[in-house]
Amino acid sequence: MAPETLFLTADQALEAVCIDFRGYRPQPMVFSEILRELADDPAACRREPGREGLWIAENRPGPMRWLEGEALVEHMCQTLCRARPAPEQLAAICRRVFQIPCRPGHHPETGRPGIRLQTDMQGFVCRQCGRCCRTLAYRDSLTAADVARFKAAGREDLLAWVGVARTTDGRERYRIWMKPGTNRFATACPFLKRGSANHRWVCAIHEVKPNFCRNYPLSRKHASMTGCPGFGA
Ligand code: SF4
Ligand code: SF4
């Protein structure tokens, strides 16, 4: 049987990489490899043993800047989006981040260029356990494309749960799910509902749900790293 693949445009692939970055603790090893490759400079950053951050060389020959935690993750996302890597380089980044085979390709119907990911998803069956909806870090995962989809569908009821924050460089960043009319996150996704069978959960906005939810899990590796039982025990 041919391996299952998923096609992502370059923008979607960049989004998926940023979602991965934001979903886990900072990954200094992976980040440093990507920064060096993007800058084509082995001295673009430096790791420090025992610390979960990076020294970044931004304005060489100026001093390096130490970044860690959320600041490091956002630096990575902004650097990647600014760099807009060429298809070969983007495929290499996806391979490194998702740990699955990825190669440049074209959409079979539209011909749009992008990245084809070999997801290794054969045998996956969603058990509707709702674990992903309850435990994944999706607060910063909503994209401009998701918001555009909500608007096109006239889903003001969903937009009411979307907060808008500004990044340090003034760009809009969406946050979900915020209690309407407040500045507080909901304690759980408001669209996760009990299914008809015992211990089953369903998404009440399945047809328009965020891409982050739609694409989860991205691969067998992603499922096992995040506790999804969709491949069985
Ligand atoms: S954790 Fe996996 S099996 Fe459970 S609901 Fe999410 S995708 Fe389905
Ligand atoms: S929007 Fe749907 S799929 Fe996404 S976390 Fe909520 S219930 Fe789960």
Side-chain angles (χ1 to χ4, degrees):
M1 190 193 297
E4 281 194 28
T5 63
L6 171 71
F7 177 84
L8 297 178
T9 64
D11 284 344
Q12 289 170 333
L14 282 173
E15 267 173 27
V17 168
C18 291
I19 286 171
D20 179 282
F21 288 173
R22 290 178 178 133
Y24 301 112
R25 290 156 66 94
Q27 307 164 60
M29 170 79 93
V30 174
F31 290 179
S32 61
E33 289 168 353
I34 292 173
L35 286 176
R36 287 174 186 141
E37 199 169 294
L38 285 176
D40 194 18
D41 180 359
C45 60
R46 182 162 56 79
R47 295 178 60 206
E48 189 163 314
R51 294 183 72 188
E52 284 200 343
L54 283 179
W55 288 102
I56 310 270
E58 280 178 316
N59 301 306
R60 301 182 69 192
M64 296 180 103
R65 185 162 67 114
W66 176 257
L67 286 179
E68 61 185 15
E70 194 177 338
L72 175 58
V73 168
E74 289 312 312
H75 174 81
M76 287 304 300
C77 295
Q78 288 171 24
T79 303
L80 259 180
C81 293
R82 267 198 312 267
R84 300 209 60 79
E88 285 289 351
Q89 195 175 40
L90 183 55
I93 289 169
C94 289
R95 276 197 295 278
R96 189 164 280 141
V97 172
F98 303 129
Q99 300 179 23
I100 51 177
C102 305
R103 57 183 164 76
H106 290 84
H107 192 279
E109 284 150 25
T110 64
R112 287 181 74 186
I115 305 296
R116 190 160 287 286
L117 298 88
Q118 188 174 312
T119 55
D120 199 14
M121 290 291 286
Q122 296 93 322
F124 174 79
V125 179
C126 177
R127 318 280 161 173
Q128 295 184 305
C129 65
R131 189 180 193 286
C132 51
C133 306
R134 288 196 302 270
T135 60
L136 290 183
Y138 54 70
R139 287 183 172 182
D140 293 313
S141 68
L142 198 77
T143 66
D146 290 319
V147 171
R149 192 169 59 254
F150 294 169
K151 286 183 179 165
R155 296 301 298 261
E156 296 299 325
D157 57 325
L158 304 188
L159 292 165
W161 290 84
V162 176
V164 182
R166 294 257 169 211
T167 60
T168 45
D169 60 0
R171 286 178 303 113
E172 281 190 341
R173 180 169 149 198
Y174 303 105
R175 318 210 78 189
I176 52 174
W177 301 103
M178 312 280 294
K179 286 186 177 175
T182 75
N183 205 17
R184 295 194 314 274
F185 283 107
T187 48
C189 175
F191 307 109
L192 181 64
K193 307 290 179 199
R194 279 195 180 279
S196 48
N198 256 351
H199 310 300
R200 295 285 180 97
W201 295 83
V202 293
C203 173
I205 58 166
H206 183 66
E207 69 287 358
V208 286
K209 66 186 178 185
N211 277 332
F212 175 77
C213 307
R214 200 173 295 270
N215 292 333
Y216 178 82
L218 202 54
S219 65
R220 184 180 285 263
K221 173 99 186 171
H222 191 198
S224 87
M225 278 177 75
T226 49
C228 165
F231 288 98

